[in-house]
Amino acid sequence: MNPVITPAACADIAELRQLYYAVYGPHYPVALGTDPAEMARLIADPHSLWLVGRCPGTGALTASAAIHGEAGSRIGRLEGIAVHPEHRSGGLAAALTEALCAGMLDSGRLDSVYATVRTVSAGPQRVVARNGFRPLGILPNAVDLSSRESLALYARHSAGVLDRRIPVAEVPAPLLPLLRTAETVLGIGYPGVRAAAAPATRAPAAEAATRLEVIEAPAFVRRRFRDHFPGAEGWFYPLHTPNVLLTPEDGRFEVYAYLNRAGGYCSLLTAHPDPAAAAAHLEPVTRALARAGAGYVEALVPLAHQEALAAFLAQGFVAGALYPAMRADGHGFHDYVVLSRSTERIDFRGVAVEPPLQPYLDCYVSAWASTHLPTSPEVAP
């Protein structure tokens, strides 16, 4: 029987929490399935769409998924896909995903929708792939559920968006294999892109001496962030609101981040007065966040921003994913790179990847080895 698909309502919240517990257990780190106040806000959000599936015979709530959007942005996040264990293999997840994309993406409300997909099994990858999502890369150690898990990044674009990408002339050399992988998997082009000249090496003394204060006052951090960044300038990181502020004692720069302690991860959003102001201090920033509970730290950086990319690469961050045509700018779209660094051991032995995702995993492993393993001249005889 076909499921009955309807928009989620506040009256469904109790049933939804039971569903997410049945699917993910007590370790689900997303407010969408655990926090009644946040769930009510998302249900009422005019920029988002949350759908549920019910059994046509009993009316029981058996599945859920949402596309989360935000004001002023034309990008959304597919999240919270959950199907009750007793109702799997019936196409519920695919039906909900297609209905969401029809309402938010195919209708022209959004330019693209992305999803971070678990890799403990191939099933979630197949669900999004059947609904037109294509793999963009791997996010190793990205979340702590019952243990550290790697996620895959997928996205689906509106028609014609990928054809309007703004070209770049050169990128840091370590990113070239990722671009070639995206060309092969996605069928997009980077004609004539060359390796940029390596930046001058900076002495690490000033960086090591930087002492950072970590301010965890979410309402204060949000107000200060909005004062400095009333629009989407700087590093654009959709659907993430900062809840942590890092700053040295003299206050010469401020780094804004979203820290999720339950999931053990952190996203670097931007810095004031300019991202470049904090570029020389990524090592103490990463250490401070690790002490705060983030075993995984990531940043989303424009492919055209060579200085910022080089700074992250120099501090041990590795590019694992490429989001083409992510941000609109006039009549074109900018590509972005996801760079990450994990303070915990990365173990891919339990990862299940579908064939279209495998080249990204191979590319990441090679990039990680080039970054963190000694080369032949560095190995002691």
Side-chain angles (χ1 to χ4, degrees), residues 165-172 175-176 179-180 189-194 302-306 309 322 333-337:
R165 294 164 41 248
I166 298 172
V168 295
E170 54 185 25
V171 299
L175 295 184
L176 289 176
L179 268 58
R180 303 305 173 221
Y190 289 95
V193 176
R194 60 185 180 275
L303 185 61
H305 202 315
Q306 292 182 37
L309 291 169
L322 177 71
F333 291 84
H334 289 289
D335 295 356
Y336 277 65
V337 180

Side-chain angles (χ1 to χ4, degrees), residues 9 19 48 81 103 109 149 168 184 189 279 327 361:
L19 171 68
S48 302
I81 299 178
R109 292 177 64 182
E149 289 188 19
V168 295
T184 301
R327 183 183 181 187
L361 180 58

Side-chain angles (χ1 to χ4, degrees), residues 2-96:
N2 292 328
V4 177
I5 297 177
T6 61
C10 288
D12 298 327
I13 288 177
E15 276 189 283
L16 283 165
R17 293 181 71 195
Q18 293 174 354
L19 171 68
Y20 282 96
Y21 188 90
V23 174
Y24 295 105
H27 302 291
Y28 192 54
V30 180
L32 177 148
T34 57
D35 185 330
E38 289 298 323
M39 294 168 76
R41 275 194 281 271
L42 181 61
I43 289 170
D45 181 9
H47 307 288
S48 302
L49 179 61
W50 190 344
L51 298 178
V52 298
R54 292 186 176 276
C55 178
T58 65
L61 196 153
T62 56
S64 168
I67 287 182
H68 188 183
E70 62 185 353
S73 171
R74 290 184 56 82
I75 186 171
R77 178 175 65 230
L78 176 66
E79 58 184 30
I81 299 178
V83 177
H84 195 280
E86 296 178 1
H87 294 270
R88 288 175 181 166
S89 303
L92 278 171
L96 281 175

Side-chain angles (χ1 to χ4, degrees), residues 203-224:
E207 184 177 289
T210 302
R211 297 180 59 186
L212 296 176
E213 296 179 344
V214 181
I215 301 170
E216 295 187 65
F220 167 78
V221 172
R222 286 195 299 269
R223 288 195 304 271
R224 193 167 181 87

